[in-house]
Amino acid sequence: MELVLFEKKAGVAQITINRPDKMNALNRAVLAELDRCFQQALSDPKLFGVVITGAGDRAFVAGADISEFAHYSAEEARELSTFGQGLFRRIEESPKPVVAAVHGFALGGGCELAMACHLRIATRAARFGQPEVSLGVVPGYGGTQRLVQLVGKAKALEMLCTGDPIDAGEAHRLGLANHVVEEQSELLPHAHAVLQRMFLRGGQAVAGCIELVNDFFHADRDGYAQESACFGRLFESDEFREGVGAFMEKRKPNFRQKP
Ligand code: COA
């Protein structure tokens, strides 16, 4: 069975973690395959966005594979964390928008993967959490950093230090989940619909927004200076000419060909 499924749907790469019998837990083989699929999505000019989801009806991803790392040395664990962080950073810094479609458990590395995506759409039955303290360890794929960014220090410390998961309603209230849908059947259509709205906008501008929002979270980057530079650069783009031209002519802009 393929560990990660890759499908193309109307210009979007749909990537599915496919270990439903193990709650889609991320072992090394899954991480490597996810990395490969993600690079494929980035390098295909016909794909403008990515949806990441989990197979089955029980979990998005229930974390890193505990049975695989149970006997790791400190050095092996550090190396695993560095690899996972690198992959999740590449997702976060993707110029193409990435949406996590979350049903069931998004725990540990699953919550971290969802947080590395630009938006999270959840079903009512979704559960988000960082239960690593129950295993006597801390999150290793950026969870301590991104959870603070998304929900604030107080709630992040509560979730991290108790290990208790939160339900979809609370995730939505906290801003961790962008939207909540009631049924799993609505999840992927909704995730794709959000991306299709982005498709109608200028692709370089969308990529610029992702990059600039990420800049905010890097102390060594001057987000305001980067914003001015990007703003100026886009004035010379065909997309800007099309967007402004369409406004003047009172028509809808047509930034790119429908795939
Ligand atoms: N790593 C490896 N295997 C995992 C896993 C993980 N993170 N999460 C679930 N699985 C496996 C279980 O071992 C089980 O395998 P088995 O049938 O071969 O025994 C299978 O997935 C089903 O899980 P199970 O625990 O039987 O289901 P449940 O409904 O009783 O509980 C969870 C679901 C998600 C609450 C529970 O599996 C769990 O707590 N998982 C670990 C979550 C975690 O700590 N993640 C952070 C890891 S750093």
Side-chain angles (χ1 to χ4, degrees):
M1 195 160 81
E2 286 178 71
L3 291 173
V4 180
L5 308 177
F6 185 90
E7 296 161 84
K8 298 179 189 181
K9 292 188 175 178
V12 170
Q14 186 173 299
I15 296 176
T16 307
I17 315 290
N18 190 33
R19 283 184 90 199
D21 54 328
K22 295 288 180 189
M23 301 272 177
N24 299 318
L26 301 173
N27 61 18
R28 280 190 175 258
V30 172
L31 285 178
E33 195 51 20
L34 174 60
D35 198 10
R36 197 189 62 74
C37 288
F38 194 70
Q39 292 312 317
Q40 190 178 337
L42 284 191
S43 60
D44 187 335
K46 294 209 172 86
L47 297 172
F48 73 88
V50 182
V51 169
I52 299 180
T53 195
D57 60 2
R58 300 221 43 219
F60 172 69
V61 167
D65 191 316
I66 300 168
S67 59
E68 189 179 61
F69 68 46
H71 301 293
Y72 272 13
S73 66
E75 189 47 45
E76 287 170 315
R78 197 176 302 120
E79 189 274 327
L80 176 67
S81 168
T82 304
F83 179 77
Q85 283 187 4
L87 169 57
F88 287 10
R89 188 169 304 124
R90 287 194 286 284
I91 293 173
E92 180 174 58
E93 297 194 341
S94 155
K96 300 183 183 182
V98 187
V99 175
V102 178
H103 177 70
F105 295 108
L107 300 178
C111 189
E112 292 171 299
L113 173 60
M115 292 193 294
C117 298
H118 302 128
L119 275 73
R120 283 147 295 284
I121 313 296
T123 61
R124 187 63 61 194
R127 296 284 176 277
F128 293 84
Q130 297 287 163
E132 286 86 349
V133 288
S134 313
L135 301 170
V137 72
V138 297
Y141 298 160
T144 58
Q145 306 303 295
R146 293 196 181 92
L147 194 60
V148 185
Q149 294 169 13
L150 287 163
V151 306
K153 185 175 178 182
K155 198 67 199 179
L157 278 170
E158 183 184 331
M159 288 177 67
L160 290 163
C161 295
T162 64
D164 293 337
I166 58 171
D167 64 22
E170 188 167 8
H172 189 222
R173 277 192 298 280
L174 291 168
L176 183 56
N178 291 76
H179 303 168
V180 177
V181 297
E182 295 304 320
E183 303 295 334
Q184 191 175 1
S185 58
E186 301 167 57
L187 183 64
L188 288 171
H190 193 94
H192 281 271
V194 171
L195 280 173
Q196 292 301 331
R197 287 189 58 69
M198 296 183 189
F199 175 78
L200 299 175
R201 317 305 182 204
Q204 291 173 52
V206 169
C209 289
I210 293 171
E211 188 178 343
L212 293 165
V213 168
N214 283 333
D215 284 343
F216 177 83
F217 296 101
H218 292 269
D220 58 331
R221 299 186 197 166
D222 182 343
Y224 288 99
Q226 294 299 329
E227 184 184 81
S228 297
C230 183
F231 187 73
R233 221 171 30 246
L234 290 178
F235 267 62
E236 292 181 353
S237 70
D238 290 341
E239 284 185 0
F240 178 74
R241 275 184 281 281
E242 170 60 13
V244 171
F247 178 82
M248 302 294 201
E249 293 159 25
K250 299 191 185 301
R251 62 173 173 84
K252 283 195 167 40
N254 186 10
F255 289 112
R256 37 192 170 178
Q257 295 294 311
K258 228 17 207 158

